[in-house]
Amino acid sequence: MNGAESLINALAEAGVDTCFANPGTSEMQLVAAIDKQPKMHAVLCLFEGVVTGAADGYGRMADKPALTLLHLGPGFGNGTANLHNARRAFSPVLNMIGDHATYHLQYDAPLTADIEGFAKPVSAWIGLSQSADDLAAVGLQAWAKAQDYPGRVTSFIAPADHAWTETRSASAIPAVAAAPTAASADINAAVEALQKGSVAIMLGAMALREDALWQAGRIAAASGARLITETFFTRMQRGAGRVPVERLPYFGEQGADYLKDFENLIFVGTKPPVSFFAYPDKPSWLSPEGATLVQVADATVDALDALTRIADLLDAPAEPTVLQPRAAHALEHGAINSVALGKVIANRLPEHAIVSDEGATNGLGAFLMTACAAPHDWLTLTGGAIGQGLPVALGAAIACPNRKVVALQADGSGMYTVQALWTMVREDLNVTVLLINNNSYAILNIELARVGVQNPGPTALSLLDLSNPCIQWTAIAQGMGMSAERVTTVVDLDDAMARAMAARGPHLIEVMV
Amino acid sequence: MNGAESLINALAEAGVDTCFANPGTSEMQLVAAIDKQPKMHAVLCLFEGVVTGAADGYGRMADKPALTLLHLGPGFGNGTANLHNARRAFSPVLNMIGDHATYHLQYDAPLTADIEGFAKPVSAWIGLSQSADDLAAVGLQAWAKAQDYPGRVTSFIAPADHAWTETRSASAIPAVAAAPTAASADINAAVEALQKGSVAIMLGAMALREDALWQAGRIAAASGARLITETFFTRMQRGAGRVPVERLPYFGEQGADYLKDFENLIFVGTKPPVSFFAYPDKPSWLSPEGATLVQVADATVDALDALTRIADLLDAPAEPTVLQPRAAHALEHGAINSVALGKVIANRLPEHAIVSDEGATNGLGAFLMTACAAPHDWLTLTGGAIGQGLPVALGAAIACPNRKVVALQADGSGMYTVQALWTMVREDLNVTVLLINNNSYAILNIELARVGVQNPGPTALSLLDLSNPCIQWTAIAQGMGMSAERVTTVVDLDDAMARAMAARGPHLIEVMV
């Protein structure tokens, strides 16, 4: 057995069942080892940003890491933006980076680069294999570290000669660390605040899963506290029958205004909110001055445990009093906007669907309208590096083959990792892409004024405009083998959505707004 | 005047006339400043890998840096693979990276990341602005450093508050360093070796420009030395009337075999060649054992000066004896292969065309057949990070609007930065894309066997296969507004090529091989 086989077998034994791959020459032994390991599903992606975004989506839905297979430093570099998003999502992601044979590095061949340097800004842990005997152990360590609660991006470097050299060493599967729990003093401080009233519980990360929200709902029932999520969360379980959560507005001054009357803020699975960007004369820090802030648990501390302990200490009722009712929206005829889009999605979304939301300026309307949809999971862009929505949808569909995935995708950001469409077709994934085409980086038109640019000229405006030429998404999808159609009215959108939700397999609906 | 305007005006004053841009909120003040500066041409790209690859292509052809505009750490991350290629090409590239306002960094907002960490592996120099007053000076320093002979990738970070704060400081344009010249001892050693005979002069970087090759041709005329280029070079000026150069084969053992009978190797603009990848039981170091190696100038030492001094010391004739004659190829009918493709290109290529070669397994045949074409420039993938060919073609076309650009592009690598097609249309660039579609990562099928993988199974082979689904490049091109056609025979290719070379503007020919 060579080092590559030893590594891949060990990871498969540990439970890694998926490898999103974009290999090159230096990874051919790893490819061969994956080939021989029937427990490992290899998913080819045509660009590394798709690989890493897919691993993020998989991690969010499977709660365990997928493996990525990346080609040296520059291949990893192409994946860093979506690893940044995964890092911010606390997704478990396990990066396997091929490298030259160790003895070849001294020659500074064209692809030689500082791989560790590439990996550092996005990796919580980096492993360097020292020999073929060591390769599996390093991979397993990275696997364990990727599961530090609730997840981390970890990376390890697999030199080609360690992969192809024979080894007899066996590696024990290391223990995954238990989730840290909140300090009793912080739990007690939260209980005390809840007894005073005027409380918002700010929720993020694992606090937005159904079980944790149930506990938050009990607390709300006992205390009257409002439940509010951070603006960009990893995964929220929502819809009919679940505990509803308000969402903090995106723009900083609106967020600050939203929170201004609370005297107590409790944080579980998140930290005090800050504005996404800085703007001249607008606040960065959004919590009201003078309010008591109780940091019970950030994203890396067990949220379910914390919320359950608080609820129990409050003697909260066994069940929340407020659960989201199912409701259907009446549709208005005519052109499509984000609210109309959201209504159609809400009416048509099947039970336990997964929505990957990179809808940008059209995302919020859809989010609000789908509160009353059938129960589903909603995934957002956690790190602000656009080009994440399609890959995350891809990865979620691999993790959950029996659930419908809806990619709510803006045009500008969709272009970054458009290659994801191809893999959706290749793997026959159950993904419906709602490609929202407004021919513009619409958010930047808003931001231009907000940062104080007055009377922008034609060059500035042209840099935010995608209409010259207009992108024909149906043609691009068909070029990658995906069936596609274009809709311009609510009625046509509703009809297309009904068909897409009833069918299985990949399909793109270009929604003109 | 705010910091952004001060910066952009200073760079324009220094001669920077092009900005490849993919901005976000934190760069809106820079966008507004570019808008107000009529000397700066802003080119929107839909993905950062296109931005940086285009800057590489521009730098190779203009011999001065274009500016890039990138959105914080993750935006820069998306551009790192092509910056790695630019670094290996010694292209001048000047990266302007937006950042949050400095006072906002403490809040660790979602897009906050270690920008300097992202920049380090690919930047020869990184500048950090300390204030609005300082921003222009830092940008100018990066501009000067980008022009260290023959070029470097440099980066500077422009925080949003430095961009929007008023400043009155003026910045003097710094001097660009003169090119270092070769040591006399090395020149003399080269002359001595040339007088002994059995000499190959290995040429790279600036030694492959027409003027330097002329001097190399004089040396060859005086000494009988063979002229051989490194396998992957930045820019070679070749074709009819120019000094012809042999090309070292790609695979290491072939390269070693090619060089094995030389007793003396002289290096100008390059270093002793090494194999691209390591393989079990194959050499990494390609120079023959016992040969005398004379390192006259690596890529960072003045090649024209070195070759001229050697030629003069040899009392070489004023003109080379061997210049490439123009010749036309007879075409064979039938299916297209790389040689047939090369013959068509050679016959049809107009004078002073620029070829961006990311043809992978089909690139070499085309290169060999075009030796006798009209004089042209040939650009290759210097760093091995695929996804460079289309952006480089884009940047070359911006730098040289009056020359025809041909992008010789393989399918697998073309998908990495496919968004480049859109900008070619938007800017109405004179680029003909020859998209070579073999539905495969063909090179990896070869490499699989070379690294010792015997009897690869279906999973391994599937990771090298692009035929499920087949990519319809004509549809993808049309989706981005580019006219496109598909050819399957030599006659149809020749016909399409004749029309494309006679017309102006962007066009894609999907070449089925």
Side-chain angles (χ1 to χ4, degrees):
Chain A
M1 187 184 303
N2 64 28
E5 290 160 353
S6 160
L7 167 69
I8 297 300
N9 292 348
L11 292 174
E13 193 60 35
V16 179
D17 55 17
T18 301
C19 176
F20 297 102
N22 187 272
T25 297
S26 38
E27 293 78 44
M28 284 298 108
Q29 301 286 352
L30 297 166
V31 165
I34 290 169
D35 186 60
K36 290 186 190 157
Q37 174 46 261
K39 289 183 193 162
M40 189 76 76
H41 177 195
V43 179
L44 177 61
C45 303
L46 300 187
F47 176 68
E48 295 90 345
V50 179
V51 167
T52 55
D56 182 5
Y58 177 97
R60 294 188 195 198
M61 294 311 303
D63 286 328
K64 65 177 191 176
L67 189 62
T68 72
L69 175 50
L70 299 163
H71 187 43
L72 299 103
F76 187 88
N78 274 333
T80 48
N82 273 336
L83 290 173
H84 169 85
N85 290 323
R87 175 173 81 88
R88 290 291 182 183
F90 293 93
S91 286
V93 172
L94 174 56
N95 297 303
M96 175 166 66
I97 316 170
D99 194 6
H100 286 308
T102 49
Y103 65 81
H104 194 66
L105 290 173
Q106 62 186 306
Y107 301 114
D108 195 34
L111 262 166
T112 307
D114 175 11
I115 300 183
E116 206 182 344
F118 274 97
K120 254 185 198 156
V122 292
S123 304
W125 190 87
I126 301 173
L128 309 174
S129 168
Q130 302 301 324
S131 70
D133 295 340
D134 179 48
L135 183 55
V138 169
L140 285 168
Q141 260 186 290
W143 167 82
K145 294 280 185 192
Q147 290 173 96
D148 279 356
Y149 177 90
R152 295 291 188 286
V153 174
T154 64
S155 304
F156 69 98
I157 300 172
D161 54 336
H162 298 182
W164 74 50
T165 300
E166 289 298 301
T167 177
R168 294 181 145 205
S169 84
S171 300
I173 296 173
V176 172
T181 53
S184 293
D186 295 329
I187 296 284
N188 293 338
V191 170
E192 197 177 314
L194 286 157
Q195 284 161 342
K196 283 193 247 169
S198 186
V199 182
I201 308 180
M202 303 293 302
L203 302 166
M206 298 298 277
L208 298 171
R209 299 295 179 89
E210 184 172 21
D211 52 3
L213 283 175
W214 184 266
Q215 301 299 331
R218 288 179 60 210
I219 297 170
S223 66
R226 301 244 305 268
L227 305 178
I228 306 175
T229 173
E230 57 191 3
T231 310
F232 295 106
F233 47 81
T234 302
R235 174 181 169 195
M236 184 191 292
Q237 297 194 295
R238 63 196 293 261
R242 288 178 172 161
V243 173
V245 182
E246 304 168 50
R247 188 175 182 184
L248 194 70
Y250 168 68
F251 289 124
E253 68 278 19
Q254 294 172 5
D257 190 62
Y258 200 86
L259 298 177
K260 72 174 190 301
D261 294 330
F262 291 104
E263 291 164 17
N264 299 281
L265 293 175
I266 296 172
F267 303 96
V268 182
T270 188
K271 292 192 285 191
V274 299
S275 84
F276 204 89
F277 289 106
Y279 304 91
D281 309 321
K282 292 195 170 79
S284 288
W285 181 258
L286 308 183
S287 300
E289 221 172 304
T292 302
L293 308 187
V294 185
Q295 181 69 61
V296 174
D298 67 13
T300 67
V301 173
D302 191 328
L304 175 60
D305 170 79
L307 291 166
T308 307
R309 283 158 66 194
I310 294 169
D312 290 349
L313 281 173
L314 281 173
D315 272 331
E319 299 196 359
T321 46
V322 180
L323 293 176
Q324 175 67 49
R326 179 82 175 95
H329 295 289
L331 300 182
E332 284 163 37
H333 289 250
I336 304 167
N337 58 32
S338 73
V339 169
L341 172 63
K343 288 178 177 175
V344 169
I345 297 172
N347 288 354
R348 296 293 182 187
L349 205 61
E351 277 211 348
H352 304 302
I354 301 163
V355 178
S356 173
D357 170 12
E358 195 174 41
T361 45
N362 285 291
L364 182 61
F367 178 82
L368 294 173
M369 290 303 107
T370 49
C372 62
H376 62 275
D377 287 58
W378 195 279
L379 316 179
T380 80
L381 175 58
T382 46
I386 62 176
Q388 184 226 36
L390 295 174
V392 160
L394 191 175
I398 293 276
C400 304
N402 298 318
R403 299 171 68 172
K404 176 65 90 178
V405 177
V406 173
L408 185 64
Q409 182 62 55
D411 52 352
S413 42
M415 279 302 285
Y416 281 67
T417 45
V418 61
Q419 307 90 345
L421 299 177
W422 184 85
T423 302
M424 291 178 187
V425 175
R426 182 180 183 89
E427 298 286 327
D428 192 27
L429 299 181
N430 196 9
V431 180
T432 300
V433 178
L434 292 171
L435 199 297
I436 311 163
N437 190 344
N438 59 13
N439 284 312
S440 139
Y441 290 119
I443 184 68
L444 295 186
N445 279 296
I446 300 168
E447 297 282 27
L448 196 63
R450 287 173 47 81
V451 300
V453 174
Q454 309 296 336
N455 306 316
T459 300
L461 293 176
S462 80
L463 287 178
L464 318 180
D465 164 64
L466 303 177
S467 73
N468 172 25
C470 288
I471 297 169
Q472 309 292 325
W473 279 91
T474 50
I476 289 178
Q478 287 157 2
M480 289 188 236
M482 187 177 283
S483 64
E485 62 192 301
R486 180 180 294 135
V487 298
T488 56
T489 68
V490 173
V491 170
D492 287 349
L493 169 64
D494 189 48
D495 183 52
M497 188 72 180
R499 280 184 279 108
M501 293 301 103
R504 220 212 146 276
H507 184 62
L508 182 140
I509 304 170
E510 184 175 12
V511 183
M512 305 305 289
V513 296
Chain B
M1 188 185 299
N2 65 27
E5 290 159 353
S6 159
L7 167 68
I8 297 298
N9 292 348
L11 292 174
E13 192 61 34
V16 179
D17 56 16
T18 301
C19 176
F20 297 101
N22 187 273
T25 298
S26 38
E27 293 78 44
M28 285 298 110
Q29 300 286 352
L30 297 167
V31 165
I34 291 168
D35 186 61
K36 289 185 191 157
Q37 175 46 261
K39 288 183 193 161
M40 188 77 76
H41 177 196
V43 179
L44 178 61
C45 303
L46 300 187
F47 176 68
E48 294 90 345
V50 179
V51 167
T52 55
D56 181 4
Y58 177 98
R60 294 187 194 197
M61 294 310 303
D63 287 328
K64 66 177 190 175
L67 189 62
T68 72
L69 175 50
L70 299 162
H71 186 43
L72 300 102
F76 186 88
N78 275 333
T80 47
N82 273 336
L83 290 174
H84 168 84
N85 291 324
R87 176 173 79 87
R88 290 292 183 183
F90 293 92
S91 286
V93 172
L94 174 57
N95 296 301
M96 174 166 67
I97 316 170
D99 194 6
H100 288 306
T102 49
Y103 64 82
H104 194 65
L105 290 174
Q106 63 186 306
Y107 300 114
D108 195 35
L111 262 167
T112 308
D114 175 10
I115 299 181
E116 209 183 339
F118 274 97
K120 254 184 201 159
V122 291
S123 304
W125 189 87
I126 301 173
L128 309 173
S129 168
Q130 302 300 325
S131 71
D133 295 340
D134 180 48
L135 182 56
V138 169
L140 285 168
Q141 261 186 291
W143 166 83
K145 294 280 186 191
Q147 290 173 94
D148 278 357
Y149 177 90
R152 295 291 188 284
V153 174
T154 64
S155 304
F156 68 98
I157 301 173
D161 54 337
H162 298 181
W164 74 49
T165 299
E166 289 298 301
T167 177
R168 295 183 146 201
S169 83
S171 299
I173 297 173
V176 172
T181 53
S184 292
D186 296 327
I187 297 283
N188 292 337
V191 169
E192 197 179 312
L194 285 158
Q195 285 162 341
K196 283 192 248 170
S198 187
V199 182
I201 308 180
M202 304 292 303
L203 302 166
M206 298 298 278
L208 298 171
R209 299 297 179 88
E210 185 172 21
D211 52 3
L213 283 175
W214 184 266
Q215 301 300 331
R218 288 179 60 211
I219 296 170
S223 66
R226 301 245 303 268
L227 305 179
I228 306 176
T229 171
E230 56 190 2
T231 311
F232 296 107
F233 48 80
T234 301
R235 175 181 169 195
M236 185 192 291
Q237 296 195 294
R238 63 196 292 261
R242 288 179 172 159
V243 173
V245 183
E246 304 168 52
R247 187 175 181 184
L248 194 70
Y250 168 68
F251 289 123
E253 69 277 19
Q254 295 173 4
D257 190 61
Y258 201 88
L259 298 178
K260 71 176 190 302
D261 294 330
F262 290 105
E263 291 165 18
N264 300 279
L265 294 176
I266 297 172
F267 303 96
V268 182
T270 187
K271 291 191 287 190
V274 299
S275 83
F276 204 88
F277 290 107
Y279 304 91
D281 310 320
K282 293 195 169 81
S284 288
W285 181 259
L286 308 183
S287 300
E289 223 173 302
T292 302
L293 308 187
V294 185
Q295 179 70 61
V296 174
D298 68 12
T300 67
V301 173
D302 192 327
L304 175 60
D305 170 78
L307 291 165
T308 307
R309 283 159 65 195
I310 294 169
D312 291 348
L313 282 174
L314 282 174
D315 273 329
E319 298 196 1
T321 46
V322 180
L323 292 176
Q324 174 67 49
R326 179 80 175 94
H329 295 288
L331 300 183
E332 283 162 39
H333 288 251
I336 303 167
N337 58 32
S338 73
V339 169
L341 173 63
K343 288 177 177 174
V344 169
I345 297 172
N347 289 353
R348 297 292 181 186
L349 205 61
E351 277 212 348
H352 304 302
I354 301 162
V355 178
S356 172
D357 170 13
E358 195 174 41
T361 47
N362 286 292
L364 182 61
F367 178 82
L368 294 174
M369 290 303 107
T370 49
C372 61
H376 63 275
D377 288 59
W378 196 279
L379 316 179
T380 80
L381 175 58
T382 46
I386 61 176
Q388 184 228 37
L390 295 174
V392 160
L394 191 176
I398 294 275
C400 304
N402 297 319
R403 298 171 67 172
K404 175 66 87 176
V405 177
V406 173
L408 185 64
Q409 182 61 56
D411 52 351
S413 42
M415 279 301 285
Y416 281 66
T417 45
V418 61
Q419 307 90 345
L421 300 178
W422 183 86
T423 302
M424 291 177 187
V425 175
R426 183 182 184 87
E427 297 287 328
D428 192 27
L429 299 181
N430 196 10
V431 179
T432 300
V433 178
L434 292 171
L435 199 296
I436 311 163
N437 191 344
N438 59 11
N439 286 310
S440 142
Y441 289 120
I443 183 68
L444 295 185
N445 279 296
I446 301 168
E447 297 283 27
L448 196 64
R450 286 173 48 81
V451 300
V453 173
Q454 309 297 335
N455 305 316
T459 300
L461 292 175
S462 80
L463 286 179
L464 318 181
D465 164 64
L466 302 177
S467 73
N468 172 25
C470 288
I471 297 169
Q472 310 292 325
W473 278 92
T474 50
I476 289 179
Q478 287 157 3
M480 290 187 238
M482 187 178 282
S483 64
E485 61 191 302
R486 179 180 293 137
V487 298
T488 56
T489 67
V490 173
V491 169
D492 287 350
L493 169 63
D494 188 48
D495 184 51
M497 189 70 180
R499 280 184 280 108
M501 292 302 101
R504 218 211 148 275
H507 183 61
L508 182 141
I509 303 171
E510 185 176 10
V511 182
M512 305 306 289
V513 295

